[in-house]
Amino acid sequence: MKSISINDQEIAPGENKTVILNSYELHTKSSIKIPVHVIRSKKPGPTILFSAGLHGEETNGIEIIRKLVGREEVQNLKCGTIIAIPVINIVSFLYSTRDLPDGKDLNRCFPGTKNGSLGSRIAYDLMKHIIPLIDFGIDFHTGGAKINNFPQIRCVFDFPENLAIAKKFSAPLIIDSKYRDGTLRKEAAKKNKPILVFEGGESMRFDYLSINEGLSGCLRLMKAYKMLDLDIPNNTVVKIKNDTWIRAGESGLFHMNASNGTYIRKNDLLGVICNPFGEVEHKILSHVDGYIVGINNQPVVNEGDALIHLGMED
Ligand SMILES: [Zn+2]
């Protein structure tokens, strides 16, 4: 076992250390630093990345990593290495925004360039200093504007290695999800480093079911590689191969009648949209058999808005 180095900071086997990925100077002359927790056993084993906060308003993942790193078993790994980055996008986290101050989505800036814009530089540093060190990783996200995602792992089913990691993590749902250009997941995959995305809850809101599922998944994954000794039962995992959205048939006040994560059948009543000025009610029926994998929590909706995300089993 050798020391590893992150931007010239050495971490020896058996050492637990917080290092800085890099420092970025803003127009105010304030500098933004990205802390990286590195936890190493003296015994060889896999190196796993747990990262969150690529989007600065997605707090559930940040909390999952905070809880994970604080655990005694994790601080005393039986083998291998954990690299945990609670907040990648520090500057957006400061302002609770998804995007960077220049309007860019950091998760569309990969692989990045050394002399590019802020997002491009952060992406470049992750690709240069972190990705070469890891075997695989989990990147934590939440639903976006008012969408609450039931705890789920997103990966590419065509790659058996992705599915094997997803099964070890054992989130309630595993969803087939193609690579998107500019993402950490796609660029890491090009380097043969599988990164799976965990989605749970919504932005700007703690969702304790998602936080607990995310934390348990990390611990199960580590247990599967004998990095710690814990008894955490697996979920009954549902594999989702195809998905569809139910959109608002009309504008109005949206009430959901079904719970996130539940199995529903075609023609089941999932919710209603009411006219705020009268008694008119528009029923929302499912057009498929499947699982509810995400829900729009916004009470006021416009015609065509995405309301309920449904996933169909593999
Ligand atoms: Zn995100």
Side-chain angles (χ1 to χ4, degrees):
M1 286 265 291
K2 283 189 201 155
S3 282
I4 57 172
S5 170
I6 295 176
N7 209 2
D8 297 329
Q9 301 149 96
E10 300 278 319
I11 309 105
E15 197 175 12
N16 296 354
K17 209 174 186 177
T18 300
V19 298
I20 299 297
L21 176 65
N22 211 343
S23 175
Y24 309 87
E25 193 158 293
L26 303 181
H27 56 292
T28 51
K29 296 290 165 198
S30 333
S31 62
I32 292 289
K33 294 187 171 79
I34 303 175
V36 178
H37 303 303
V38 186
I39 301 170
R40 302 197 70 198
S41 166
K42 283 188 174 160
K43 280 195 189 158
T47 298
I48 309 180
L49 170 67
F50 295 115
S51 61
L54 257 180
H55 297 128
E57 76 326 8
E58 298 184 355
T59 38
N60 288 328
I62 296 168
E63 177 65 5
I64 290 166
I65 295 189
R66 184 190 76 80
K67 284 197 152 145
L68 179 74
V69 170
R71 289 185 70 116
E72 208 184 314
E73 310 91 323
V74 176
Q75 285 289 334
N76 295 286
L77 287 186
K78 293 193 179 299
C79 70
T81 298
I82 294 297
I83 298 179
I85 314 179
V87 189
I88 295 177
N89 193 343
I90 294 275
V91 67
S92 296
F93 182 55
L94 274 174
Y95 297 103
S96 298
T97 56
R98 177 184 175 87
D99 295 330
L100 289 158
D102 63 2
K104 290 207 173 93
D105 179 338
L106 178 52
N107 207 20
R108 298 292 180 275
C109 292
F110 287 83
T113 54
K114 193 177 180 195
N115 299 312
S117 62
L118 178 60
S120 187
R121 286 176 193 220
I122 296 171
Y124 174 86
D125 285 327
L126 278 167
M127 293 305 294
K128 182 180 176 191
H129 299 299
I130 303 292
I131 298 303
L133 299 176
I134 68 164
D135 293 299
F136 56 89
I138 308 287
D139 188 34
F140 290 90
H141 289 259
T142 73
K146 311 290 192 297
I147 303 283
N148 185 305
N149 285 328
F150 198 70
Q152 54 194 255
I153 281 282
R154 295 187 181 177
C155 65
V156 183
F157 284 10
D158 286 343
F159 295 98
E161 217 181 347
N162 275 225
L163 263 184
I165 296 167
K167 282 180 184 160
K168 289 182 177 111
F169 190 97
S170 187
L173 301 169
I174 305 177
I175 301 186
D176 192 19
S177 173
K178 289 192 172 56
Y179 291 121
R180 268 198 196 176
D181 287 346
T183 58
L184 169 62
R185 188 162 76 105
K186 180 170 181 175
E187 291 304 318
K190 284 185 188 168
K191 309 272 179 201
N192 281 322
K193 310 289 175 129
I195 291 190
L196 280 57
V197 163
F198 176 89
E199 284 268 349
E202 67 181 271
S203 58
M204 297 302 291
R205 209 174 295 277
F206 277 149
D207 178 90
Y208 292 100
L209 172 71
S210 297
I211 292 168
N212 288 335
E213 285 295 350
L215 177 63
S216 298
C218 296
L219 296 172
R220 280 186 206 107
L221 193 54
M222 292 163 70
K223 189 198 168 186
Y225 290 96
K226 302 192 168 30
M227 300 171 90
L228 42 77
D229 195 14
L230 268 180
D231 198 19
I232 311 171
N234 280 6
N235 279 306
T236 311
V237 174
V238 175
K239 276 169 73 192
I240 302 286
K241 183 72 181 161
N242 293 298
D243 67 315
T244 180
W245 281 89
I246 294 181
R247 291 183 178 274
E250 24 191 287
S251 306
L253 304 175
F254 168 55
H255 294 274
M256 185 78 193
N257 288 15
S259 303
N260 214 354
T262 51
Y263 182 75
I264 46 106
R265 292 195 173 276
K266 194 174 172 177
N267 293 325
D268 277 358
L269 178 67
L270 302 185
V272 291
I273 294 175
C274 308
N275 180 325
F277 308 108
E279 300 297 311
V280 187
E281 247 186 26
H282 170 79
K283 287 189 171 66
I284 299 167
L285 305 177
S286 178
H287 56 287
V288 292
D289 295 344
Y291 288 85
I292 301 179
V293 302
I295 291 176
N296 181 346
N297 279 333
Q298 198 156 3
V300 182
V301 298
N302 281 303
E303 197 175 353
D305 281 353
L307 299 184
I308 304 163
H309 194 189
L310 299 174
M312 286 80 84
E313 214 164 347
D314 196 7

